Amino acid sequence: SQKIEQNSEALNIQEGKTATLTCNYTNYSPAYLQWYRQDPGRGPVFLLLIRENEKEKRKERLKVTFDTTLKQSLFHITASQPADSATYLCAPTNGATNKLIFGTGTLLAVQP
Amino acid sequence: GAGVSQSPRYKVAKRGQDVALRCDPISGHVSLFWYQQALGQGPEFLTYFQNEAQLDKSGLPSDRFFAERPEGSVSTLKIQRTQQEDSAVYLCASSRDRNTGELFFGEGSRLTVL
């Protein structure tokens, strides 16, 4: 069955450092992959989408890579700030099914 | 509306009661999704509508769960004879077109079954 794995442990980093979150998937070949941010008690908020033919995508301090050979996406936040503290969800998707399958999320805590 | 609206935000039900959760998607959005999120977990897919057609209900956990979107806008998720394991946050999301792009989520309805 389709499986998505994200760092199960919380990630604690110092303000100003780069945070790197990992998303691994097995048993399918997504046409694209999305990343979302979720704050406590709130719904997820879309951050970035990367397609299978794109190796890297950037948006301000965010960078996403997509390696279809390794079946992995990396999500980077540069110059991290305490306001970046949240849970980050990845969702690799097969466009044909029209549904997003989410990973369990990684909790990021940026210490001032 | 400006965003996806869900009601009620919080619902406490006694085991065996029926509940109905409402979702108002962004106006004009074609696709609507329901997800269930347990504490500390990612959202789990329940069902998907394209306009009024329910195209995928493979994630509904049992026949006690039923969703509808009769006019292709507002959707209702109904849970009959609630059980304690139904306690979770139910998230609704909509997207602009048929092809899955950015999903816009509501704040969720937190259901607690006693």
Side-chain angles (χ1 to χ4, degrees):
Chain A
S1 62
Q2 298 168 350
K3 193 175 178 183
I4 302 157
E5 290 183 341
Q6 295 188 247
N7 317 59
S8 55
E9 300 288 327
L11 182 62
N12 291 286
I13 64 166
Q14 206 66 31
E15 182 176 8
K17 301 291 187 186
T18 296
T20 298
L21 285 66
T22 305
C23 175
N24 295 295
Y25 56 92
T26 54
N27 295 330
Y28 73 127
S29 299
Y32 52 93
L33 186 149
Q34 300 187 29
W35 282 89
Y36 286 75
R37 168 185 172 140
Q38 187 172 27
D39 290 283
R42 310 295 296 272
V45 174
F46 172 81
L47 295 175
L48 279 167
L49 180 153
I50 185 166
R51 301 184 189 281
E52 61 181 339
N53 60 350
E54 298 174 314
K55 288 206 181 302
E56 181 180 297
K57 200 150 192 183
R58 292 174 186 261
K59 179 183 174 183
E60 298 172 353
R61 294 184 296 110
L62 309 180
K63 183 178 87 171
V64 172
T65 62
F66 192 9
D67 189 324
T68 55
T69 301
L70 291 178
K71 294 187 179 293
Q72 180 181 79
S73 175
L74 298 179
F75 178 82
H76 307 271
I77 307 176
T78 58
S80 60
Q81 304 165 1
D84 295 326
S85 299
T87 295
Y88 291 85
L89 300 159
C90 80
T93 304
N94 181 329
T97 66
N98 275 58
K99 66 187 183 190
L100 286 185
I101 302 172
F102 285 88
T104 52
T106 298
L107 178 62
L108 172 67
V110 181
Q111 310 297 334
Chain B
V4 177
S5 178
Q6 291 188 246
S7 61
R9 286 294 315 277
Y10 303 93
K11 176 69 179 177
V12 178
K14 290 184 180 177
R15 192 171 54 184
Q17 276 186 329
D18 297 349
V19 299
L21 308 176
R22 177 188 168 106
C23 174
D24 265 287
I26 293 173
S27 178
H29 276 199
V30 170
S31 298
L32 185 146
F33 301 79
W34 283 98
Y35 285 83
Q36 180 190 59
Q37 187 171 29
L39 193 64
Q41 300 297 311
E44 294 276 346
F45 171 81
L46 294 177
T47 187
Y48 157 63
F49 291 86
Q50 193 176 100
N51 296 308
E52 69 279 3
Q54 190 175 20
L55 298 187
D56 188 337
K57 54 181 182 178
S58 61
L60 295 177
S62 77
D63 58 8
R64 296 186 296 104
F65 287 71
F66 172 76
E68 61 183 4
R69 193 186 185 198
E71 297 176 1
S73 55
V74 170
S75 177
T76 304
L77 176 67
K78 297 179 180 176
I79 309 173
Q80 296 177 322
R81 304 181 304 281
T82 52
Q83 305 292 315
Q84 283 189 318
E85 62 262 29
D86 300 335
S87 297
V89 175
Y90 291 86
L91 293 163
C92 176
S94 68
S95 69
R96 190 170 33 233
D97 54 30
R98 291 178 178 80
N99 299 313
T100 306
E102 174 183 354
L103 287 194
F104 295 83
F105 280 86
E107 301 289 49
S109 291
R110 179 179 295 279
L111 172 65
T112 303
V113 182
L114 303 177

